[in-house]
Amino acid sequence: MEFIDLKAQYKQIQPAIQARINAVLEHGKYIMGPEVQELEEKLADYVGVKHCIAVSSGTDALLIAMMALEIQPGDEIITTPFTFISTGEMIRLLGAVPVFVDIDPDTYNISPGLIEAAITEKTRAIAPVSLYGQCADFDEINAIARKHGIPVIEDAAQSFGATYKGKKSCGLSTIGCTSFFPSKPLGCYGDGGACFTDDDALAKRMREIRVHGQERRYYHPVIGINGRMDTIQAAILIVKLEIFPEEVRLREAIGASYTQQIKDSAIAVTTPTIKEHNTSVYAQYTIAVDDREDLQAKLADNNIPTAVHYPVPLHMQPAFHELGFKQGSLPVSENAASKVMSLPMHATLKNDDIAQIVHQLNDALR
């Protein structure tokens, strides 16, 4: 059994993918070719914002967003410790300071009630992560940000396609950033990402930063990076975007089926909590369990792959040791990191597969 079955999806769309790739090979514009602009227009329309800036990865999307907001050394950005390292890593790369606050124990997203107390005169942004496919609570977060006059960057690397109160992820804040890493709900066949905004000036700046700070050929008003998207990746994403709404529907149905079958089996695990006003794209289907390592080993013996997202929260990573956090500093994140476990999840997962996984999970917990 595959944890994420990208090959099955490819077989469904192989002719269209090959045709799009061949078109790029024929015209020869391999970086920032016409497909990139086509993709940007389609993605902006999908999210419901004015601007999409396609970039080289989700990590670079975060970096470009922070550079566009002119984050400087010593500035502080409030974020969650319970995520992949990219979020805190890009803050630190710019010489800024990630200010970690704890998470909601049900959704694993940043706890809005803890944000305001973390704001100081050095706070320049809030960067919530929409984890596991579900958006953070943006009404509360944006209200705090407006009160203090600071922007919000949504790290939507796992939530593209999800909604919050009827609005799409990536269109909920000052800038939304996502990843098109192959395993994401909408993934290409390499690295890719995008930034989204309704702010014309920020969009212009992000487009410049993406190409070495270039406004026009060989004229560079600002320092930038090489953050351009490969045209072949854009071509692949155009095809995959056509089937994406159906994939989102399937992912929601699969997530709901997992939860129902686990509850029907009365298994002693914690299933995902999806807020009533949210939809999730289930970038991962993540449960919380005791004795995780033992459970993973038993499932592996029965050919059920699992993964842990994420076993060490950022405030306990050696790369952030100088921030001075100790064990117990952010107890909800630390507890989650010790218990979460992700089960196979992809749009081609069948009910029989889910039933087999749940059966093996039940047996392993006896």
Side-chain angles (χ1 to χ4, degrees):
M1 183 179 292
E2 301 281 350
F3 186 74
I4 298 172
D5 194 346
L6 298 176
K7 291 176 288 187
Q9 183 200 53
Y10 171 64
K11 288 176 182 177
Q12 294 175 354
I13 55 176
Q14 183 175 357
I17 290 284
Q18 289 296 335
R20 278 287 188 168
I21 290 175
N22 287 340
V24 175
L25 296 176
E26 287 294 328
H27 67 56
K29 298 173 183 175
Y30 301 129
I31 295 176
M32 295 296 293
E35 285 82 359
V36 174
Q37 183 176 348
E38 181 184 351
L39 175 66
E40 289 176 335
E41 292 169 357
K42 290 179 183 295
L43 289 173
D45 182 65
Y46 178 83
V47 171
V49 297
K50 290 172 66 176
H51 304 284
C52 169
I53 300 90
V55 300
S56 47
S57 71
T59 301
D60 285 339
L62 291 169
L63 179 61
I64 289 167
M66 292 175 197
M67 291 174 71
L69 292 170
E70 300 182 336
I71 300 301
Q72 301 296 316
D75 289 347
E76 294 177 353
I77 298 181
I78 296 170
T79 192
T80 168
F82 193 58
T83 182
F84 185 61
I85 195 169
S86 291
T87 320
E89 181 184 31
M90 292 303 98
I91 297 170
R92 208 73 191 102
L93 188 67
L94 290 173
V97 180
V99 176
F100 297 120
V101 302
D102 220 340
I103 59 172
D104 178 279
D106 296 325
T107 66
Y108 305 116
N109 284 326
I110 193 169
S111 178
L114 301 176
I115 291 175
E116 193 158 22
I119 293 175
T120 72
E121 61 182 15
K122 295 182 179 180
T123 304
R124 295 294 177 266
I126 303 170
V129 177
S130 295
L131 199 70
Y132 297 153
Q134 177 176 203
C135 296
D137 196 332
F138 277 91
D139 278 0
E140 286 189 57
I141 294 167
N142 287 335
I144 294 165
R146 280 192 299 271
K147 178 180 175 182
H148 294 273
I150 50 181
V152 176
I153 304 168
E154 181 190 12
D155 182 341
Q158 298 180 21
S159 60
F160 190 80
T163 62
Y164 171 81
K165 298 186 177 180
K167 294 184 66 176
K168 291 275 197 343
S169 179
C170 288
L172 302 169
S173 59
T174 315
I175 303 173
C177 299
T178 198
S179 168
F180 301 125
F181 186 78
S183 63
K184 302 299 183 184
L186 179 63
C188 53
Y189 295 158
D191 275 315
C195 300
F196 297 82
T197 188
D198 279 321
D199 187 302
D200 295 343
L202 282 177
K204 180 178 183 294
R205 198 173 302 146
M206 287 190 286
R207 292 188 192 281
E208 292 171 355
I209 292 168
R210 169 180 64 177
V211 286
H212 300 283
Q214 180 174 274
E215 183 181 79
R216 59 183 186 272
R217 191 166 176 81
Y218 301 133
Y219 182 76
H220 305 264
V222 297
I223 295 296
I225 66 169
N226 178 3
R228 303 168 296 194
M229 176 175 275
D230 292 348
T231 310
I232 284 177
Q233 302 305 335
I236 290 163
L237 287 166
I238 289 168
V239 175
K240 295 184 75 172
L241 187 59
E242 292 176 6
I243 66 168
F244 188 58
E246 175 62 10
E247 291 228 338
V248 170
R249 187 192 69 78
L250 289 170
R251 296 180 81 95
E252 287 186 72
I254 291 164
S257 180
Y258 255 131
T259 297
Q260 190 60 55
Q261 290 193 44
I262 289 172
K263 288 182 176 178
D264 288 346
S265 299
I267 302 173
V269 303
T270 302
T271 55
T273 298
I274 309 301
K275 294 292 186 73
E276 289 183 3
H277 53 258
N278 281 348
T279 64
S280 177
V281 288
Y282 290 99
Q284 286 84 31
Y285 185 86
T286 301
I287 58 177
V289 300
D290 295 319
D291 299 319
R292 182 174 63 202
E293 289 186 11
D294 179 64
L295 180 56
Q296 284 188 285
K298 289 178 179 177
L299 290 173
D301 287 342
N302 289 283
N303 299 313
I304 305 295
T306 60
V308 178
H309 307 93
Y310 298 92
V312 182
L314 299 191
H315 70 288
M316 299 304 296
Q317 293 283 357
F320 297 109
H321 72 91
E322 77 279 3
L323 298 178
F325 285 96
K326 305 295 183 184
Q327 191 78 36
S329 299
L330 300 172
V332 183
S333 296
E334 292 164 32
N335 182 61
S338 72
K339 294 185 176 181
V340 293
M341 185 183 80
S342 299
L343 301 174
M345 182 69 203
H346 50 86
T348 55
L349 198 66
K350 306 300 182 188
N351 263 327
D352 287 349
D353 297 324
I354 298 169
Q356 179 188 353
I357 293 164
V358 173
H359 173 74
Q360 297 292 348
L361 188 61
N362 203 357
D363 279 356
L365 287 165
R366 283 177 181 165

